[in-house]
Amino acid sequence: MKLVVAIIRPERLNDVLEELFHAEVKGLTISRVQGHGGELERVETYRGTTVKMELSEKVRIEIGVSDHFVDPTVKAIIDGARTGEVGDGKIFVLPVEQVYRIRTGETDRAAVTPVGVPPG
Amino acid sequence: MALNASDTAWLFVATALVLMMTPALGFFYGGMVRSKNTLNTLMMSFSALGFVGLAWALFGYSVAFGRASQWCGGGEYFFLRGVTLDAQGTIPHLLFFAYQGTFAVITAALISGAIVERMRFGPYIVFITLWSLFVYAPVAHWVWGAGGFLAKLGALDFAGGTVVHINAAAAALVCALLVGPRKDYARQAMLPQNVPFTLLGAGLLWLGWFGFNAGSALGANRAAALAFVNTMLAPMATLVFWTILDLMRTRKATAIGAATGIVVGLVAITPAAGFVSPMSAIVIGAIAAFPSYFALLYRAGTRLDDSLDVVAAHGVGGVAGALLTGVLASKGWSGGAGSGLIDGNVRQLGVQAIAIVVTLLYSTLMTVAIVKLTGALTPLRMTAREEGLGLDVSQHGEEAYSRGEGAILLLDGRRSE
């Protein structure tokens, strides 16, 4: 099992979700975060105060998947999130030690397999 | 005629009320867009106060209320020459100019609802300024100006159903078609960012509309009292019927629906306000709910991205109101100023239809020309990337809901030590 963590542009979230849906990846968590990659700084002015926005709004997606689902998941995220400009984000694939489904107590592979799909 | 103190006092208040409608429209519209476009949407209304207002003072007023011909005014009032403190009717000419200016501003700002969330700010400003001079001012002349041809024909438009609402809606339709839909339109759910803003805007529009309609009597008189009360009653009826339609369709009385219903009722009563009985105003408000309600539903299923439904609310509502004015205008209530079908005046309905068609045609053709001209000078639209980022940041360099995290203060040369 792996945990796929992706940091993407907020305006690409809908495209990414659409791609993930087509790739039949279900079960994910998103959070709004702020981060700094290599993108160009953005300058904003409020009356006499000019500020440089060092942090950009990003969305973090976390998806727990079984091993053979890692590639389709990563591909779907890249397809949805890429604009070709600096600031498109990153994808991290992390090993996962154990997974529990709270409702049933199922563990590991059974726990990351969506309901209704035979684990396989 | 001599100046009348009560009339003048009421027009001071009415002018301020109508001026407030433009910021109110900004909030009405601003609540319905996505949060990344809040400031841009508000600015599309606020900037009209400056650009259109100034254009009105320098040129527009003369085109609308000069006396050159029945088609448009001349240059006699350019740069406010000859706009003095002498009486125009029973109020100072200068105050009359200011009152009419507030109408020019909000009419131009109304159009923005059709092109929010994708049109670049610069070309928008150029467009509404030119539009106010070449479309709004002549149409105002036809209906309200000295010897305007629709006035001579006998068209009834008490406070601007045709001049303001039908006119702006035709322009909105053209703009939505020529600028094109938002990149996410019909692809992604685009939810209103702040429904309370929209309700606040609708409430302030209603308040301002008392100045719009009752002020159009140009005095503190019987017509003003009639228009005032009708402006209260008609939206009440629209609100009730809109809510009933909402309940029948989805079993939920929506807040955005209530805000929309109020505006549709106000639009519909605008041409009729000083001509119809209070019971007729209720009828107009009630009837007007239906065509606009179903026009909204229909529009949402089409490729026409009239984003904030200017056509359904102001166009369809405006046409309903203008036609119903031809039906319900009453000699008794209007003091002889207008009579419609209920008084046996069959001709009036035809005259109303002519005024509607002429305004639609002129506004459509001229708007096409002005949008094409503006588009030839500079691109009308954002790039898809900027549109995705939001117009607040890309057009204004500000955010509506800035959290300030990660913001670093830049000290410029003058202030650094």
Side-chain angles (χ1 to χ4, degrees):
Chain A
M1 298 152 306
K2 299 282 191 249
L3 179 65
V4 177
V5 177
I7 313 291
I8 62 163
R9 296 179 188 275
E11 66 263 28
R12 304 301 294 184
L13 175 61
N14 276 306
D15 302 81
V16 169
L17 292 177
E18 219 168 273
E19 292 291 338
L20 287 170
F21 180 73
H22 286 311
E24 299 191 345
V25 176
K26 295 163 190 172
L28 51 84
T29 308
I30 73 155
S31 35
R32 300 206 166 263
V33 296
Q34 299 206 320
H36 179 65
E39 60 260 70
L40 292 174
E41 66 203 28
R42 202 172 72 232
V43 173
E44 300 185 356
T45 306
Y46 299 90
R47 293 204 170 163
T49 307
T50 302
V51 294
K52 193 166 73 176
M53 306 308 284
E54 287 276 308
L55 298 180
S56 306
E57 300 278 329
K58 297 288 171 190
V59 168
R60 181 165 74 183
I61 307 178
E62 289 160 289
I63 314 173
V65 293
S66 42
D67 289 344
H68 69 284
F69 244 103
V70 171
D71 286 342
T73 305
V74 169
K75 183 179 174 311
I77 296 172
I78 290 176
D79 286 349
R82 178 179 284 166
T83 69
E85 307 259 340
V86 177
D88 277 353
K90 296 274 187 301
I91 300 174
F92 306 97
V93 180
L94 288 70
V96 172
E97 240 171 56
Q98 273 181 329
V99 181
Y100 295 93
R101 174 172 275 145
I102 292 173
R103 174 169 56 85
T104 57
E106 286 168 288
T107 57
D108 297 346
R109 190 144 158 190
V112 294
T113 304
V115 177
V117 179
Chain B
M1 259 192 280
L3 289 180
N4 176 298
S6 335
D7 292 349
T8 304
W10 164 229
L11 262 293
F12 281 135
V13 176
T15 303
L17 284 172
V18 184
L19 192 80
M20 184 198 64
M21 287 172 68
T22 298
L25 181 75
F27 279 92
F28 179 73
Y29 280 170
M32 289 192 275
V33 298
R34 290 167 291 175
S35 53
K36 61 186 177 183
N37 298 316
T38 310
L39 294 177
N40 180 252
T41 304
L42 280 157
M43 281 292 283
M44 281 187 165
S45 287
F46 273 79
S47 61
L49 288 164
F51 289 89
V52 176
L54 209 55
W56 180 258
L58 301 181
F59 305 108
Y61 176 70
S62 194
V63 176
F65 291 96
R67 289 160 199 281
S69 75
Q70 59 175 332
W71 307 109
C72 83
E76 65 260 50
Y77 299 134
F78 277 176
F79 305 104
L80 296 181
R81 253 179 327 156
V83 181
T84 64
L85 295 172
D86 293 341
Q88 158 96 3
T90 60
I91 63 170
H93 190 179
L94 190 66
L95 177 58
F96 177 77
F97 144 80
Y99 180 66
Q100 295 298 339
T102 60
F103 281 59
V105 169
I106 189 161
T107 308
L110 281 173
I111 304 169
S112 68
I115 46 82
V116 289
E117 302 199 289
R118 74 269 205 199
M119 188 170 184
R120 291 174 62 231
F121 195 64
Y124 166 77
I125 294 293
V126 172
F127 168 75
I128 56 163
T129 307
L130 292 175
W131 190 89
S132 74
L133 293 176
F134 291 99
V135 185
Y136 178 78
V139 174
H141 183 80
W142 300 347
V143 179
W144 297 326
F149 86 97
L150 288 176
K152 278 204 268 185
L153 201 63
L156 294 179
D157 188 0
F158 192 77
T162 309
V163 180
V164 172
H165 297 287
I166 296 175
N167 196 1
L173 178 63
V174 171
C175 287
L177 287 170
L178 292 183
V179 175
R182 291 167 287 181
K183 74 178 178 67
D184 297 335
Y185 180 68
R187 282 191 64 231
Q188 293 176 5
M190 293 183 282
L191 300 185
Q193 58 112 1
N194 192 330
V195 180
F197 265 14
T198 299
L199 287 165
L200 175 71
L204 288 175
L205 279 170
W206 198 344
L207 172 62
W209 227 294
F210 286 111
F212 196 94
N213 286 353
S216 289
L218 297 173
N221 49 33
R222 287 160 185 258
L226 180 62
F228 192 99
V229 173
N230 286 347
T231 304
M232 190 178 95
L233 291 175
M236 289 175 169
T238 318
L239 177 54
V240 167
F241 278 82
W242 200 281
T243 304
I244 291 170
L245 284 167
D246 252 359
L247 285 170
M248 282 169 48
R249 198 174 71 85
T250 64
R251 294 173 170 276
K252 304 266 197 281
T254 64
I256 289 218
T260 311
I262 289 169
V263 171
V264 167
L266 288 163
V267 168
I269 198 60
T270 295
F275 298 128
V276 302
S277 74
M279 279 313 295
S280 294
I282 292 174
V283 171
I284 289 174
I287 293 176
F290 293 84
S292 287
Y293 189 90
F294 292 104
L296 276 167
L297 287 183
Y298 170 77
R299 203 281 305 160
T302 68
R303 284 298 294 157
L304 173 65
D305 187 12
D306 172 12
S307 315
L308 306 179
D309 284 300
V310 185
V311 175
H314 298 270
V316 176
V319 168
L323 291 176
L324 288 168
T325 305
V327 175
L328 295 168
S330 144
K331 212 175 266 171
W333 282 94
S334 68
S339 65
L341 208 54
I342 52 162
D343 283 349
N345 181 3
V346 183
R347 181 178 169 275
Q348 191 61 47
L349 198 55
V351 172
Q352 297 299 100
I354 291 170
I356 292 167
V357 171
V358 168
T359 305
L360 282 175
L361 281 178
Y362 180 76
S363 181
T364 302
L365 292 176
M366 286 299 288
T367 305
V368 169
I370 298 171
V371 172
K372 291 279 186 194
L373 175 75
T374 312
L377 298 174
T378 176
L380 297 174
R381 282 193 73 127
M382 319 286 307
T383 64
R385 196 187 72 80
E386 287 172 315
E387 197 182 320
L389 187 64
L391 276 68
D392 288 4
V393 168
S394 70
Q395 299 296 288
H396 306 285
E398 296 166 284
E399 293 168 81
Y401 307 102
S402 187
R403 290 192 290 182
E405 288 159 14
I408 292 173
L409 185 62
L410 288 183
L411 298 170
D412 62 23
R414 282 177 292 121
R415 289 196 216 141
S416 57
E417 284 135 50

Short mmCIF file of all heavy atoms in Angstrom, two decimals, chain A residues 30-82:
data_model
loop_
_atom_site.label_atom_id
_atom_site.label_comp_id
_atom_site.label_asym_id
_atom_site.label_seq_id
_atom_site.Cartn_x
_atom_site.Cartn_y
_atom_site.Cartn_z
N ILE A 30 -9.00 15.97 0.77
CA ILE A 30 -8.30 17.16 0.31
C ILE A 30 -8.26 18.19 1.42
O ILE A 30 -9.11 18.23 2.30
CB ILE A 30 -8.94 17.79 -0.95
CG1 ILE A 30 -10.24 18.50 -0.60
CG2 ILE A 30 -9.17 16.77 -2.05
CD1 ILE A 30 -10.56 19.59 -1.59
N SER A 31 -7.23 19.01 1.38
CA SER A 31 -7.18 20.14 2.30
C SER A 31 -6.60 21.34 1.58
O SER A 31 -5.81 21.20 0.65
CB SER A 31 -6.35 19.80 3.54
OG SER A 31 -5.28 18.96 3.20
N ARG A 32 -7.03 22.51 2.02
CA ARG A 32 -6.48 23.74 1.45
C ARG A 32 -5.22 24.09 2.23
O ARG A 32 -5.27 24.16 3.46
CB ARG A 32 -7.50 24.87 1.54
CG ARG A 32 -8.77 24.54 0.79
CD ARG A 32 -9.52 25.76 0.31
NE ARG A 32 -10.53 25.34 -0.66
CZ ARG A 32 -10.35 25.39 -1.97
NH1 ARG A 32 -9.22 25.86 -2.46
NH2 ARG A 32 -11.28 24.99 -2.79
N VAL A 33 -4.15 24.29 1.53
CA VAL A 33 -2.89 24.58 2.21
C VAL A 33 -2.25 25.77 1.53
O VAL A 33 -2.70 26.24 0.49
CB VAL A 33 -1.94 23.36 2.15
CG1 VAL A 33 -2.53 22.19 2.92
CG2 VAL A 33 -1.65 22.95 0.71
N GLN A 34 -1.18 26.27 2.14
CA GLN A 34 -0.40 27.30 1.50
C GLN A 34 1.02 26.80 1.37
O GLN A 34 1.52 26.13 2.27
CB GLN A 34 -0.40 28.57 2.34
CG GLN A 34 -1.79 29.12 2.53
CD GLN A 34 -1.77 30.60 2.79
OE1 GLN A 34 -0.92 31.10 3.50
NE2 GLN A 34 -2.70 31.31 2.20
N GLY A 35 1.64 27.10 0.26
CA GLY A 35 2.98 26.60 0.09
C GLY A 35 3.80 27.47 -0.82
O GLY A 35 3.30 28.44 -1.39
N HIS A 36 5.07 27.10 -0.92
CA HIS A 36 5.96 27.86 -1.78
C HIS A 36 6.83 26.91 -2.57
O HIS A 36 7.57 26.12 -2.01
CB HIS A 36 6.85 28.77 -0.93
CG HIS A 36 7.80 29.57 -1.76
ND1 HIS A 36 7.35 30.51 -2.65
CD2 HIS A 36 9.14 29.54 -1.86
CE1 HIS A 36 8.41 31.04 -3.25
NE2 HIS A 36 9.50 30.46 -2.80
N GLY A 37 6.68 26.95 -3.88
CA GLY A 37 7.55 26.18 -4.74
C GLY A 37 8.50 27.15 -5.40
O GLY A 37 9.02 28.04 -4.76
N GLY A 38 8.68 27.05 -6.69
CA GLY A 38 9.60 27.98 -7.35
C GLY A 38 8.87 29.03 -8.14
O GLY A 38 9.47 29.73 -8.94
N GLU A 39 7.54 29.17 -7.93
CA GLU A 39 6.81 30.06 -8.81
C GLU A 39 7.19 31.52 -8.60
O GLU A 39 7.69 31.90 -7.56
CB GLU A 39 5.29 29.88 -8.67
CG GLU A 39 4.72 30.13 -7.31
CD GLU A 39 4.48 28.83 -6.56
OE1 GLU A 39 5.51 28.20 -6.18
OE2 GLU A 39 3.33 28.45 -6.37
N LEU A 40 6.88 32.29 -9.62
CA LEU A 40 7.19 33.72 -9.57
C LEU A 40 6.39 34.36 -8.44
O LEU A 40 5.24 34.01 -8.21
CB LEU A 40 6.81 34.38 -10.89
CG LEU A 40 7.66 33.98 -12.09
CD1 LEU A 40 7.09 34.59 -13.36
CD2 LEU A 40 9.10 34.39 -11.89
N GLU A 41 7.02 35.32 -7.79
CA GLU A 41 6.30 35.99 -6.71
C GLU A 41 5.20 36.85 -7.28
O GLU A 41 5.24 37.30 -8.42
CB GLU A 41 7.26 36.84 -5.91
CG GLU A 41 7.81 37.99 -6.74
CD GLU A 41 9.12 38.48 -6.17
OE1 GLU A 41 9.84 37.67 -5.54
OE2 GLU A 41 9.41 39.66 -6.34
N ARG A 42 4.18 37.05 -6.47
CA ARG A 42 3.05 37.85 -6.87
C ARG A 42 3.03 39.09 -5.97
O ARG A 42 3.18 38.96 -4.76
CB ARG A 42 1.79 37.02 -6.65
CG ARG A 42 0.61 37.45 -7.45
CD ARG A 42 -0.51 36.44 -7.28
NE ARG A 42 -1.09 36.51 -5.97
CZ ARG A 42 -1.25 35.46 -5.16
NH1 ARG A 42 -0.88 34.26 -5.54
NH2 ARG A 42 -1.79 35.61 -3.98
N VAL A 43 2.86 40.24 -6.55
CA VAL A 43 2.87 41.47 -5.76
C VAL A 43 1.45 42.01 -5.65
O VAL A 43 0.73 42.08 -6.64
CB VAL A 43 3.81 42.52 -6.39
CG1 VAL A 43 3.69 43.85 -5.68
CG2 VAL A 43 5.24 42.02 -6.35
N GLU A 44 1.03 42.34 -4.46
CA GLU A 44 -0.29 42.94 -4.26
C GLU A 44 -0.13 44.28 -3.55
O GLU A 44 0.80 44.46 -2.78
CB GLU A 44 -1.19 42.00 -3.44
CG GLU A 44 -1.40 40.67 -4.13
CD GLU A 44 -2.38 39.75 -3.40
OE1 GLU A 44 -2.85 40.12 -2.30
OE2 GLU A 44 -2.66 38.67 -3.95
N THR A 45 -1.03 45.19 -3.82
CA THR A 45 -0.95 46.52 -3.21
C THR A 45 -2.26 46.86 -2.53
O THR A 45 -3.32 46.72 -3.13
CB THR A 45 -0.64 47.59 -4.28
OG1 THR A 45 0.52 47.18 -4.98
CG2 THR A 45 -0.42 48.94 -3.64
N TYR A 46 -2.18 47.25 -1.28
CA TYR A 46 -3.36 47.70 -0.54
C TYR A 46 -3.09 49.10 -0.04
O TYR A 46 -2.28 49.29 0.85
CB TYR A 46 -3.66 46.75 0.62
CG TYR A 46 -3.96 45.34 0.14
CD1 TYR A 46 -2.95 44.40 -0.02
CD2 TYR A 46 -5.26 44.97 -0.20
CE1 TYR A 46 -3.22 43.13 -0.49
CE2 TYR A 46 -5.54 43.71 -0.66
CZ TYR A 46 -4.53 42.79 -0.80
OH TYR A 46 -4.80 41.52 -1.27
N ARG A 47 -3.75 50.08 -0.63
CA ARG A 47 -3.40 51.49 -0.39
C ARG A 47 -1.90 51.68 -0.55
O ARG A 47 -1.36 51.30 -1.56
CB ARG A 47 -3.91 51.94 0.97
CG ARG A 47 -5.42 51.95 1.01
CD ARG A 47 -5.94 52.89 2.05
NE ARG A 47 -7.38 53.07 1.90
CZ ARG A 47 -8.16 53.56 2.82
NH1 ARG A 47 -7.66 53.94 3.98
NH2 ARG A 47 -9.44 53.70 2.61
N GLY A 48 -1.21 52.17 0.45
CA GLY A 48 0.21 52.43 0.27
C GLY A 48 1.10 51.22 0.53
O GLY A 48 2.31 51.30 0.44
N THR A 49 0.47 50.11 0.93
CA THR A 49 1.27 48.97 1.35
C THR A 49 1.41 47.97 0.20
O THR A 49 0.42 47.48 -0.31
CB THR A 49 0.58 48.27 2.54
OG1 THR A 49 0.33 49.24 3.54
CG2 THR A 49 1.45 47.16 3.09
N THR A 50 2.64 47.71 -0.17
CA THR A 50 2.87 46.72 -1.22
C THR A 50 3.47 45.48 -0.58
O THR A 50 4.40 45.56 0.21
CB THR A 50 3.84 47.29 -2.27
OG1 THR A 50 3.27 48.49 -2.79
CG2 THR A 50 4.02 46.31 -3.41
N VAL A 51 2.89 44.34 -0.88
CA VAL A 51 3.38 43.11 -0.27
C VAL A 51 3.69 42.09 -1.36
O VAL A 51 3.08 42.10 -2.44
CB VAL A 51 2.36 42.50 0.72
CG1 VAL A 51 2.18 43.41 1.91
CG2 VAL A 51 1.04 42.23 0.05
N LYS A 52 4.64 41.24 -1.05
CA LYS A 52 5.01 40.16 -1.94
C LYS A 52 4.42 38.89 -1.36
O LYS A 52 4.65 38.56 -0.20
CB LYS A 52 6.54 40.07 -1.99
CG LYS A 52 7.08 39.22 -3.10
CD LYS A 52 8.57 39.47 -3.27
CE LYS A 52 9.35 38.85 -2.12
NZ LYS A 52 10.80 38.96 -2.28
N MET A 53 3.59 38.20 -2.14
CA MET A 53 2.96 37.00 -1.63
C MET A 53 3.92 35.82 -1.82
O MET A 53 4.09 35.33 -2.92
CB MET A 53 1.64 36.73 -2.34
CG MET A 53 0.67 37.90 -2.33
SD MET A 53 0.33 38.59 -0.70
CE MET A 53 -0.78 37.35 -0.05
N GLU A 54 4.58 35.41 -0.73
CA GLU A 54 5.56 34.33 -0.81
C GLU A 54 4.86 32.99 -0.87
O GLU A 54 5.38 32.03 -1.42
CB GLU A 54 6.47 34.37 0.42
CG GLU A 54 7.45 35.50 0.40
CD GLU A 54 8.70 35.17 -0.40
OE1 GLU A 54 9.31 34.12 -0.13
OE2 GLU A 54 9.05 35.94 -1.31
N LEU A 55 3.72 32.88 -0.23
CA LEU A 55 3.01 31.61 -0.19
C LEU A 55 1.83 31.66 -1.14
O LEU A 55 1.12 32.65 -1.21
CB LEU A 55 2.51 31.32 1.23
CG LEU A 55 3.59 31.19 2.30
CD1 LEU A 55 2.96 30.92 3.64
CD2 LEU A 55 4.57 30.09 1.94
N SER A 56 1.63 30.57 -1.86
CA SER A 56 0.49 30.51 -2.77
C SER A 56 -0.51 29.51 -2.22
O SER A 56 -0.15 28.55 -1.56
CB SER A 56 0.93 30.02 -4.14
OG SER A 56 1.97 30.83 -4.61
N GLU A 57 -1.77 29.78 -2.54
CA GLU A 57 -2.83 28.84 -2.19
C GLU A 57 -2.61 27.54 -2.97
O GLU A 57 -2.41 27.58 -4.18
CB GLU A 57 -4.19 29.41 -2.58
CG GLU A 57 -4.56 30.72 -1.92
CD GLU A 57 -5.14 30.50 -0.54
OE1 GLU A 57 -5.78 29.45 -0.33
OE2 GLU A 57 -4.92 31.36 0.34
N LYS A 58 -2.65 26.43 -2.28
CA LYS A 58 -2.55 25.13 -2.94
C LYS A 58 -3.58 24.19 -2.33
O LYS A 58 -4.12 24.45 -1.26
CB LYS A 58 -1.14 24.52 -2.74
CG LYS A 58 0.00 25.33 -3.34
CD LYS A 58 0.03 25.25 -4.84
CE LYS A 58 1.04 26.24 -5.39
NZ LYS A 58 0.95 26.38 -6.83
N VAL A 59 -3.80 23.10 -3.00
CA VAL A 59 -4.67 22.06 -2.46
C VAL A 59 -3.83 20.80 -2.30
O VAL A 59 -3.06 20.44 -3.18
CB VAL A 59 -5.87 21.80 -3.39
CG1 VAL A 59 -6.60 20.52 -2.98
CG2 VAL A 59 -6.83 22.98 -3.36
N ARG A 60 -3.95 20.16 -1.13
CA ARG A 60 -3.26 18.88 -0.92
C ARG A 60 -4.27 17.76 -1.01
O ARG A 60 -5.31 17.78 -0.36
CB ARG A 60 -2.58 18.85 0.44
CG ARG A 60 -1.85 17.52 0.65
CD ARG A 60 -0.89 17.58 1.79
NE ARG A 60 -1.60 17.57 3.06
CZ ARG A 60 -0.98 17.68 4.23
NH1 ARG A 60 0.32 17.84 4.28
NH2 ARG A 60 -1.68 17.66 5.34
N ILE A 61 -3.94 16.78 -1.83
CA ILE A 61 -4.80 15.60 -1.98
C ILE A 61 -4.06 14.42 -1.38
O ILE A 61 -2.88 14.22 -1.66
CB ILE A 61 -5.09 15.31 -3.47
CG1 ILE A 61 -5.61 16.55 -4.18
CG2 ILE A 61 -6.07 14.16 -3.60
CD1 ILE A 61 -5.86 16.32 -5.65
N GLU A 62 -4.74 13.66 -0.54
CA GLU A 62 -4.14 12.44 0.00
C GLU A 62 -5.00 11.25 -0.40
O GLU A 62 -6.21 11.26 -0.20
CB GLU A 62 -4.04 12.54 1.52
CG GLU A 62 -3.00 13.53 1.96
CD GLU A 62 -3.22 14.00 3.39
OE1 GLU A 62 -4.20 14.74 3.61
OE2 GLU A 62 -2.45 13.59 4.26
N ILE A 63 -4.36 10.25 -0.97
CA ILE A 63 -5.09 9.07 -1.43
C ILE A 63 -4.32 7.82 -1.00
O ILE A 63 -3.14 7.66 -1.35
CB ILE A 63 -5.21 9.05 -2.98
CG1 ILE A 63 -5.65 10.42 -3.51
CG2 ILE A 63 -6.20 7.98 -3.42
CD1 ILE A 63 -5.62 10.52 -5.02
N GLY A 64 -4.97 6.96 -0.24
CA GLY A 64 -4.35 5.68 0.11
C GLY A 64 -4.74 4.66 -0.94
O GLY A 64 -5.92 4.47 -1.21
N VAL A 65 -3.76 4.01 -1.57
CA VAL A 65 -4.07 3.07 -2.65
C VAL A 65 -3.27 1.78 -2.50
O VAL A 65 -2.21 1.77 -1.85
CB VAL A 65 -3.76 3.67 -4.04
CG1 VAL A 65 -4.69 4.82 -4.35
CG2 VAL A 65 -2.32 4.10 -4.14
N SER A 66 -3.77 0.71 -3.10
CA SER A 66 -2.97 -0.50 -3.15
C SER A 66 -1.95 -0.35 -4.28
O SER A 66 -2.11 0.47 -5.18
CB SER A 66 -3.87 -1.73 -3.35
OG SER A 66 -4.87 -1.45 -4.30
N ASP A 67 -0.89 -1.16 -4.22
CA ASP A 67 0.29 -0.90 -5.06
C ASP A 67 -0.01 -0.75 -6.54
O ASP A 67 0.50 0.15 -7.19
CB ASP A 67 1.34 -2.01 -4.86
CG ASP A 67 1.97 -1.91 -3.47
OD1 ASP A 67 1.81 -0.84 -2.84
OD2 ASP A 67 2.59 -2.89 -3.02
N HIS A 68 -0.88 -1.64 -7.07
CA HIS A 68 -1.08 -1.58 -8.51
C HIS A 68 -1.92 -0.37 -8.93
O HIS A 68 -2.11 -0.13 -10.10
CB HIS A 68 -1.72 -2.88 -9.02
CG HIS A 68 -3.14 -3.07 -8.55
ND1 HIS A 68 -3.46 -3.45 -7.28
CD2 HIS A 68 -4.31 -2.89 -9.20
CE1 HIS A 68 -4.77 -3.54 -7.15
NE2 HIS A 68 -5.32 -3.19 -8.31
N PHE A 69 -2.41 0.37 -7.96
CA PHE A 69 -3.20 1.55 -8.29
C PHE A 69 -2.37 2.83 -8.28
O PHE A 69 -2.84 3.91 -8.62
CB PHE A 69 -4.37 1.69 -7.30
CG PHE A 69 -5.72 1.55 -7.97
CD1 PHE A 69 -6.45 0.37 -7.87
CD2 PHE A 69 -6.23 2.59 -8.73
CE1 PHE A 69 -7.67 0.24 -8.50
CE2 PHE A 69 -7.46 2.47 -9.37
CZ PHE A 69 -8.18 1.28 -9.26
N VAL A 70 -1.09 2.69 -7.89
CA VAL A 70 -0.26 3.89 -7.76
C VAL A 70 -0.09 4.60 -9.10
O VAL A 70 -0.32 5.80 -9.22
CB VAL A 70 1.13 3.54 -7.17
CG1 VAL A 70 2.06 4.76 -7.23
CG2 VAL A 70 0.96 3.08 -5.72
N ASP A 71 0.25 3.83 -10.13
CA ASP A 71 0.54 4.47 -11.42
C ASP A 71 -0.67 5.16 -12.03
O ASP A 71 -0.56 6.32 -12.45
CB ASP A 71 1.14 3.44 -12.41
CG ASP A 71 2.58 3.11 -12.04
OD1 ASP A 71 3.17 3.91 -11.28
OD2 ASP A 71 3.09 2.08 -12.48
N PRO A 72 -1.83 4.47 -12.09
CA PRO A 72 -3.00 5.18 -12.63
C PRO A 72 -3.35 6.43 -11.83
O PRO A 72 -3.75 7.46 -12.40
CB PRO A 72 -4.14 4.16 -12.51
CG PRO A 72 -3.51 2.84 -12.30
CD PRO A 72 -2.12 3.06 -11.78
N THR A 73 -3.17 6.37 -10.52
CA THR A 73 -3.49 7.52 -9.68
C THR A 73 -2.56 8.69 -10.00
O THR A 73 -3.00 9.82 -10.21
CB THR A 73 -3.36 7.16 -8.19
OG1 THR A 73 -4.19 6.03 -7.93
CG2 THR A 73 -3.78 8.31 -7.30
N VAL A 74 -1.28 8.41 -10.07
CA VAL A 74 -0.29 9.46 -10.34
C VAL A 74 -0.53 10.05 -11.73
O VAL A 74 -0.52 11.28 -11.91
CB VAL A 74 1.14 8.89 -10.22
CG1 VAL A 74 2.16 9.90 -10.76
CG2 VAL A 74 1.45 8.54 -8.78
N LYS A 75 -0.82 9.19 -12.68
CA LYS A 75 -1.05 9.66 -14.05
C LYS A 75 -2.28 10.58 -14.09
O LYS A 75 -2.25 11.64 -14.73
CB LYS A 75 -1.25 8.46 -14.98
CG LYS A 75 -1.41 8.87 -16.43
CD LYS A 75 -1.58 7.65 -17.33
CE LYS A 75 -1.88 8.06 -18.78
NZ LYS A 75 -2.94 9.03 -18.94
N ALA A 76 -3.32 10.15 -13.39
CA ALA A 76 -4.55 10.96 -13.39
C ALA A 76 -4.29 12.34 -12.79
O ALA A 76 -4.76 13.36 -13.32
CB ALA A 76 -5.65 10.24 -12.60
N ILE A 77 -3.52 12.37 -11.71
CA ILE A 77 -3.24 13.67 -11.07
C ILE A 77 -2.43 14.56 -12.01
O ILE A 77 -2.72 15.75 -12.18
CB ILE A 77 -2.49 13.47 -9.72
CG1 ILE A 77 -3.40 12.72 -8.74
CG2 ILE A 77 -2.07 14.82 -9.15
CD1 ILE A 77 -2.71 12.31 -7.45
N ILE A 78 -1.42 13.95 -12.65
CA ILE A 78 -0.59 14.75 -13.56
C ILE A 78 -1.43 15.28 -14.73
O ILE A 78 -1.35 16.45 -15.09
CB ILE A 78 0.60 13.92 -14.07
CG1 ILE A 78 1.58 13.68 -12.92
CG2 ILE A 78 1.31 14.63 -15.23
CD1 ILE A 78 2.74 12.79 -13.27
N ASP A 79 -2.26 14.41 -15.29
CA ASP A 79 -3.10 14.84 -16.41
C ASP A 79 -4.01 16.00 -16.03
O ASP A 79 -4.22 16.92 -16.82
CB ASP A 79 -3.96 13.68 -16.92
CG ASP A 79 -3.14 12.66 -17.68
OD1 ASP A 79 -1.97 12.97 -17.99
OD2 ASP A 79 -3.65 11.55 -17.95
N GLY A 80 -4.53 15.93 -14.82
CA GLY A 80 -5.48 16.97 -14.41
C GLY A 80 -4.81 18.25 -13.98
O GLY A 80 -5.33 19.34 -14.17
N ALA A 81 -3.60 18.14 -13.39
CA ALA A 81 -3.01 19.29 -12.71
C ALA A 81 -2.01 20.06 -13.55
O ALA A 81 -1.67 21.19 -13.24
CB ALA A 81 -2.33 18.84 -11.41
N ARG A 82 -1.54 19.46 -14.65
CA ARG A 82 -0.44 20.10 -15.38
C ARG A 82 -0.93 21.28 -16.21
O ARG A 82 -1.87 21.18 -16.98
CB ARG A 82 0.25 19.08 -16.29
CG ARG A 82 1.38 19.71 -17.11
CD ARG A 82 2.07 18.70 -17.99
NE ARG A 82 2.97 17.86 -17.21
CZ ARG A 82 3.48 16.71 -17.67
NH1 ARG A 82 3.15 16.29 -18.88
NH2 ARG A 82 4.30 16.01 -16.93
#
